[in-house]
Amino acid sequence: MRISFSIEPIKNQMQQSIADIHKCNAFTAKYGLTLSKAEIQNLVAHRFAVLKETRRMEFGTGILEPLIYAFCDSPYIDSSNYEQTLLALQDMFYQFKNEVFEQLSDEELILSMKTGFNGAAQGSLEYLAGTWVETLARRMRCGGWGYEETVEVTPDEDEW
């Protein structure tokens, strides 16, 4: 028996993701960060490639929008490295999610990544991908991730 499927839902999901990420520019502009249409398309296309590579499924707009809101105020991100940083963070998110065996919620994992990126990594994506993920995985195996603070990864309605 041969199973067939339509790629139309994926195209629709990609178009919705592009529109949602474009809306983020209104918020991130106050930090001097905006994404061009081509950069947004690249980020969204990369999202679907990474999901396939990591054998993950996502519904809705995905993790890119929460990553944008969480990291846009980082002192280590500027207009010259914004797109590349988001590409790397998106990759790391899915890698980390697999490494911690789904024990952290998306929000907790983003908080941990932001804490590491702005703290010990001092903006180093290499440090975050290597040392930080090892530290995080070790903490998870020892019974917790060690951070009690919470972070809003989306803006309040009145900030729009």
Side-chain angles (χ1 to χ4, degrees):
M1 176 169 62
R2 184 177 182 162
I3 299 173
S4 64
F5 64 93
S6 170
I7 63 166
E8 199 61 36
I10 294 171
K11 287 173 73 176
N12 291 340
Q13 192 177 16
M14 288 180 83
Q15 290 172 341
Q16 184 62 50
S17 292
I18 288 169
D20 291 341
I21 300 307
H22 179 72
K23 290 176 189 174
C24 295
N25 280 340
F27 180 78
T28 61
K30 67 182 172 187
Y31 300 102
L33 302 173
T34 57
L35 294 164
S36 70
K37 183 177 181 179
E39 289 171 329
I40 293 169
Q41 289 172 333
N42 184 41
L43 285 163
V44 171
H46 187 75
R47 168 190 169 213
F48 284 89
V50 171
L51 286 170
K52 183 178 180 180
E53 181 181 307
T54 57
R55 298 180 176 186
R56 299 190 66 81
M57 290 180 55
E58 242 178 10
F59 301 99
T61 58
I63 204 61
L64 189 54
E65 192 175 354
L67 284 172
I68 288 171
Y69 288 123
F71 282 84
C72 67
D73 64 349
S74 172
Y76 301 105
I77 299 176
D78 59 37
S79 60
S80 69
N81 67 3
Y82 187 37
E83 179 190 13
Q84 292 304 314
T85 301
L86 288 174
L87 285 168
L89 290 170
Q90 185 174 229
D91 288 351
M92 282 183 230
F93 176 86
Y94 297 119
Q95 174 196 350
F96 291 1
K97 199 73 169 167
N98 287 340
E99 292 284 331
V100 298
F101 310 110
E102 304 288 334
Q103 292 178 341
L104 294 177
S105 69
D106 291 353
E107 292 79 14
E108 290 172 325
L109 183 52
I110 290 171
L111 174 59
S112 178
M113 290 172 64
K114 181 177 181 177
T115 300
F117 185 77
N118 289 339
Q122 297 179 2
S124 168
L125 293 166
E126 293 79 18
Y127 181 93
L128 189 65
T131 305
W132 190 256
V133 74
E134 290 170 14
T135 301
L136 180 60
R138 187 171 42 253
R139 286 181 179 155
M140 293 306 300
R141 285 190 298 270
C142 294
W145 67 304
Y147 295 99
E148 300 304 323
E149 87 183 68
T150 59
V151 65
E152 283 291 321
V153 294
T154 55
D156 293 331
E157 291 285 333
D158 58 342
E159 289 183 302
W160 286 90

